[in-house]
Amino acid sequence: MITLQTVYILAGLMFCAYAFFNLRDKSNSRRYVNALFWGVYGITFLFGAELPHFVTGCMAILLAVIAGTGKLGKGKTDNDQPEMVEKREAGAKRFGNKLFIPALLIPIVTLIGTLTLKYTPLVETKNVTLISLVIGTLVAFIVALLLLRDSPFKAIKAGGQTMDTVGWAAILPQMLAALGALFALAGVGDVVSELVKNIIPLGSPLAIVIAYTFGMALFTMIMGNGFAAFPVMTAGIGLPLIVNQLGGNPAIMGAIGMLSGFCGTLMTPMAANFNIVPAALLELQDKNGVIKAQWKTGVLLLLVNTAFMYLFVFRF
């Protein structure tokens, strides 16, 4: 049976491969720091279940120290070589829209796997979607290699170069999700619940829904990640007020609540991997250019999510 631990092992091997290629990259003056960063991160995936919690915590602190000191760097990539750029442009013209096939395979295989694999003994049922996503990624990887007739080692090396460009922001979602869980365990949700009860009229479903959806967006803007906001806001408002007090549908509440949080993601520089990193990769002069282009969409979607929550969460 394919379990979540299998996924973690694959991820750990991938990050350790990034560390290995960094060690061999003499064009990167900070290759040892990069190798340490990705190597430690890979070890947390490979042996996290066996390591004492204290050791894992120390490794997380080490990652934060490396990232905070700004010592990560990157070496030369194919984009720095004119002949490779010309080769890639020629390949793009040759394959055309076929280049989208691997990317489209990921959501297609994920959807099919989510709908079908849960009825088989092949995968761990409670993690079927995540496992299907990994299977979809592996299928896309193989198809891309066959389509382009390239080396898997070259592909992994290029992936490592991309991760070096993204840097510490690549692991930010996981760190923030863990922070959200810590906040929930620390009772921040209870504090939020008491504040809401003292401010908004508890007899108004609309006011409670607005507090939840807008609170999800606002807390996401502060934390930089909807996964960090979700346990806090759901423990503070979603479950005690929308579900338990008003009898709302928890599935609808959770789905639309997460979407409301993602609206906040569109409007904050704290979501560095979504908004700051793309600006750097696209070499935009304004580092907040991505946010300025999409914040209106975020506000509009937040209003729509609030309306949907109010219309449907109490009726199904």
Side-chain angles (χ1 to χ4, degrees), residues 266-267 291-303:
L266 299 177
M267 300 182 281
I291 298 174
K292 292 178 180 178
Q294 65 193 16
W295 74 267
K296 294 180 181 178
T297 302
V299 172
L300 178 61
L301 289 175
L302 179 58
L303 294 174

Side-chain angles (χ1 to χ4, degrees), residues 14-15 18 38 41 158-168 170-171:
M14 179 182 70
F15 287 116
Y18 294 165
W38 297 120
Y41 193 52
Q161 291 173 344
T162 300
M163 294 298 287
D164 288 339
T165 301
V166 175
W168 58 266
I171 70 173

Side-chain angles (χ1 to χ4, degrees), residues 36-82:
L36 177 63
F37 185 83
W38 297 120
V40 169
Y41 193 52
I43 290 172
T44 63
F45 281 98
L46 288 173
F47 306 108
E50 287 77 28
L51 291 173
H53 297 323
F54 177 78
V55 175
T56 305
C58 290
M59 295 172 73
I61 293 174
L62 177 59
L63 292 174
V65 170
I66 295 174
T69 54
K71 296 298 184 180
L72 292 174
K74 63 176 184 177
K76 294 182 179 180
T77 65
D78 290 345
N79 292 330
D80 299 321
Q81 305 175 29

Side-chain angles (χ1 to χ4, degrees), residues 97-144:
N97 290 333
K98 291 181 180 179
L99 292 173
F100 291 101
I101 293 176
L104 293 174
L105 280 173
I106 297 176
I108 292 173
V109 174
T110 301
L111 178 60
I112 294 174
T114 301
L115 296 176
T116 61
L117 291 179
K118 60 184 177 181
Y119 300 110
T120 72
L122 299 177
V123 302
E124 192 175 40
T125 305
K126 63 181 180 180
N127 294 305
V128 64
T129 301
L130 181 58
I131 293 173
S132 297
L133 173 61
V134 174
I135 293 174
T137 304
L138 292 175
V139 170
F141 178 66
I142 294 172
V143 170

Side-chain angles (χ1 to χ4, degrees), residues 212-249:
Y212 180 60
T213 56
F214 276 74
M216 274 293 301
L218 180 60
F219 206 76
T220 298
M221 293 175 68
I222 296 172
M223 298 294 296
N225 191 286
F227 294 103
F230 186 76
V232 175
M233 297 306 299
T234 301
I237 302 176
L239 290 176
L241 300 181
I242 294 179
V243 177
N244 296 334
Q245 178 175 308
L246 299 176
N249 185 306

